[in-house]
Amino acid sequence: MKKEWYIIHTITGYENRVKENLDAKIKAQGYESIIPNVVVLEETVIDTSSKSLERHIVSHEAKLHVSNGKDVEKGAILAEEPAIKVRRDGTISEVINARRIVIETTDKKFSKTYVIPESAKPVSGLRIGANVFQGTFLASSDEYICDIDGKVVINEKVKKVVVRTILGDEDAYVIHGDVFNSSACKKGVQVKAGQTLAEGRKIFSKSTGRVAIVDYPTRREIVVQKTKKRKLYPGYLFVEMIMNDHTWEFVRGTPFVMGFVSAGGRPLPLKPQEVHYIKRLAGLEEVHQVEAKVTKVELEIQAGDSVKIVTGPFEGFVGVVKEVDEEKQELKVMITIFGRETPVSVHVSEVEKI
């Protein structure tokens, strides 16, 4: 018998639960060939609030496992820093608990890294994004003083491993706590050039969202914008099945199913063009290159909204959105520079709605 697509009516808010229940019943009864697809149609909406942005700073040498504009799941690997290897033969003379603080100039063209031993008591309150100025004390010891104006972009706990070489001088290695191996980095241990002191640190996404990658002269920033799913048709599911009395009762008897969309008491099959639409939205059928993407991404920022630019060369400016490019996730924002309105193009990850 011929498989056709039908619409199931359910209680609004229970669409995914019905799909899970029905999928479980289908698998348990071995009905995959009779009811091959149960679909809840959803669209992806990007959360553009500042609190939804997850930022990770990596070096330009880091291997990226994601690309710009792609979606990631919570726990997915985003990037991997290279392993730390010994440069010259020697003996580990010190292993120090320290804090790595990176200050970047406001134009993001230069940065300065400070590795401060915990014994020097690094200043508390130097949160990421905090402004610092030349002459600012970074620790209780006056040995650590900031010598540029800028912002804190990294403040993390690390291990500083010092290797005294056979020539009598020292090589220092900064190892993130996530990949520090106490057995390999122990005082008095002899090490050889090329030996791995620490494996490459892997950076994972803390949330499900869409990736934006921004390159700066001194670093690379991976931004994950949280996304949420919104039902395209609340209260309805779509099912491909062979329709007969038994399968009708099988589906109808699933908890929270209220029935089929019917005409004259008979379940109404969808038209071929409607089936193509559903299959493409569900990712069950490929679209032609000239057509739109399967997954619709709707930005919560629209033309006319007021936004604040939170990063990039126009950081701190407030303006009004004039144009929205949803495909490129870019905005044209009118900001006031020197008393004149000026249009600037920014990525949605660089603004927050106000």
Side-chain angles (χ1 to χ4, degrees):
M1 295 181 66
K2 182 181 178 182
K3 298 186 188 75
E4 295 184 286
W5 282 83
Y6 299 88
I7 304 174
I8 303 173
H9 188 203
T10 185
I11 301 173
T12 300
Y14 286 80
E15 299 89 354
N16 287 327
R17 187 177 296 184
V18 169
K19 173 176 167 54
E20 291 171 4
N21 289 340
L22 190 50
D23 283 341
K25 287 176 62 178
I26 292 168
K27 185 176 181 181
Q29 294 294 326
Y31 283 2
E32 290 90 347
S33 62
I34 300 172
I35 310 175
N37 288 299
V38 180
V39 171
V40 177
L41 290 184
E42 298 175 315
E43 61 183 349
T44 302
V45 180
I46 295 177
D47 185 350
T48 52
S49 65
S50 60
K51 293 181 180 179
S52 76
L53 296 181
E54 174 187 326
R55 300 180 185 274
H56 301 273
I57 293 175
V58 299
S59 69
H60 287 292
E61 292 74 36
K63 178 183 177 182
L64 296 181
H65 291 266
V66 292
S67 56
N68 206 25
K70 297 298 183 181
D71 292 331
V72 294
E73 296 294 325
K74 181 179 180 181
I77 183 170
L78 300 174
E80 184 176 0
E81 293 284 3
I84 298 174
K85 296 183 178 295
V86 177
R87 295 188 291 274
R88 296 185 292 176
D89 294 356
T91 303
I92 296 177
S93 59
E94 290 183 284
V95 179
I96 305 167
N97 291 323
R99 189 165 289 272
R100 177 174 173 252
I101 299 174
V102 179
I103 312 295
E104 184 179 67
T105 55
T106 52
D107 62 7
K108 296 179 170 58
K109 291 183 178 180
F110 305 98
S111 67
K112 183 70 179 290
T113 299
Y114 302 86
V115 180
I116 306 172
E118 292 288 358
S119 59
K121 297 182 179 178
V123 172
S124 60
L126 286 177
R127 292 185 291 271
I128 293 175
N131 291 308
V132 293
F133 304 96
Q134 186 176 2
T136 300
F137 283 88
L138 301 177
S140 297
S141 169
D142 58 9
E143 181 182 350
Y144 300 97
I145 301 176
C146 182
D147 51 12
I148 62 172
D149 295 342
K151 277 189 173 183
V152 178
V153 293
I154 295 176
N155 187 339
E156 60 188 8
K157 291 182 178 180
V158 296
K159 296 282 188 177
K160 180 180 178 182
V161 177
V162 179
V163 174
R164 181 169 293 278
T165 72
I166 56 176
L167 299 177
D169 52 2
E170 294 181 340
D171 290 337
Y173 304 87
V174 178
I175 302 175
H176 195 279
D178 289 351
V179 292
F180 177 74
N181 185 341
S182 58
S183 60
C185 299
K186 188 180 297 184
K187 188 174 179 179
V189 171
Q190 291 185 342
V191 292
K192 297 289 185 180
Q195 178 180 330
T196 299
L197 272 184
E199 298 295 336
R201 181 186 173 222
K202 295 179 180 179
I203 294 91
F204 298 91
S205 178
K206 298 177 182 177
S207 54
T208 296
R210 179 147 297 184
V211 171
I213 300 172
V214 185
D215 282 315
Y216 296 110
T218 63
R219 61 185 172 92
R220 175 176 281 147
E221 187 171 271
I222 302 173
V223 180
V224 179
Q225 298 171 276
K226 290 182 181 177
T227 56
K228 53 187 176 183
K229 297 291 186 180
R230 185 165 64 193
K231 303 291 187 301
L232 280 172
Y233 300 98
Y236 295 95
L237 287 84
F238 300 83
V239 58
E240 183 185 16
M241 61 186 290
I242 295 173
M243 178 62 71
N244 55 41
D245 291 344
H246 175 71
T247 56
W248 180 92
E249 182 60 39
F250 181 85
V251 173
R252 182 66 181 81
T254 304
F256 308 110
V257 169
M258 300 174 67
F260 286 87
V261 172
S262 305
R266 298 181 60 184
L268 188 66
L270 296 177
K271 299 175 182 178
Q273 61 267 34
E274 295 171 330
V275 172
H276 286 305
Y277 170 76
I278 291 167
K279 292 173 76 173
R280 288 174 181 177
L281 284 178
L284 299 174
E285 182 177 278
E286 292 185 0
V287 298
H288 299 299
Q289 291 294 326
V290 295
E291 296 186 23
K293 293 181 179 179
V294 173
T295 303
K296 175 184 175 184
V297 177
E298 179 179 304
L299 303 180
E300 292 185 334
I301 293 178
Q302 304 296 328
D305 288 344
S306 295
V307 296
K308 180 179 180 181
I309 301 175
V310 296
T311 187
F314 303 104
E315 181 179 348
F317 282 91
V318 173
V320 176
V321 177
K322 289 299 181 185
E323 296 178 14
V324 178
D325 188 329
E326 292 193 0
E327 183 177 351
K328 294 183 179 179
Q329 299 180 44
E330 290 181 348
L331 311 172
K332 182 174 284 186
V333 181
M334 299 298 294
I335 63 174
T336 301
I337 302 177
F338 303 123
R340 298 181 60 182
E341 279 199 335
T342 305
V344 297
S345 294
V346 295
H347 193 273
V348 291
S349 65
E350 296 179 311
V351 305
E352 65 179 40
K353 190 175 177 180
I354 58 175

